[in-house]
Amino acid sequence: MPHLTVEYCTELADDLAPRELLKALNRTLIASGLFSATDIKSRAVALDTVLVGDGAPDRFVHIEVALLSGRSIEVRRKLAEALLASAETVLDETAQRPLQVSVEVRELDKECYAKRVL
């Protein structure tokens, strides 16, 4: 834990290096001191069909982090802000404007989560 998912519009494919963005976000998660590197599972998902409002512009990146329950709202808020700053640093170097970037840190119920390392 955590699971990190980056969703982005396929329009950004030429501007965005998803693996580099994931690396930067993973470094931020590790630097938080909340997780060990081997516990972080990250993936980037390109979305073919998107619409923002009336369709102008349709360029966005959404970062979702799913954590096991139990951390305070303040800890989750700080984590969201740190991830947003990290993403902005990477995207400032690559992505065309305008671009919306959002981060959501949500909880997974510990009692309903199962994991094994095989």
Side-chain angles (χ1 to χ4, degrees):
M1 202 42 67
H3 285 273
L4 182 141
T5 304
V6 174
E7 296 177 327
Y8 64 96
C9 309
T10 53
E11 284 182 32
L12 295 172
D14 292 337
D15 299 341
L16 180 68
R19 189 164 184 83
E20 293 310 309
L21 179 56
L22 290 178
K23 286 180 184 179
L25 296 171
N26 281 8
R27 285 192 297 270
T28 300
L29 290 173
I30 294 165
S32 75
L34 299 171
F35 318 103
S36 66
T38 57
D39 288 336
I40 301 168
K41 286 90 175 164
S42 300
R43 75 276 281 152
V45 180
L47 304 171
D48 291 328
T49 306
V50 301
L51 181 66
V52 175
D54 65 1
D58 291 334
R59 300 166 59 82
F60 71 87
V61 174
H62 178 70
I63 301 161
E64 179 185 289
V65 181
L67 308 173
L68 289 178
S69 56
R71 291 185 177 81
S72 71
I73 290 174
E74 180 66 15
V75 166
R76 289 181 278 147
R77 184 188 62 74
K78 286 182 180 181
L79 188 59
E81 290 174 359
L83 289 165
L84 183 58
S86 181
E88 284 180 291
T89 300
V90 172
L91 295 169
D92 275 347
E93 298 173 3
T94 60
Q96 294 178 12
R97 301 295 187 264
L99 173 65
Q100 293 186 37
V101 183
S102 57
V103 177
E104 174 189 8
V105 177
R106 64 182 185 88
E107 290 188 306
L108 295 172
D109 189 351
K110 282 182 184 180
E111 290 76 22
C112 299
Y113 182 80
K115 172 187 168 182
R116 283 197 182 87
V117 177
L118 304 176

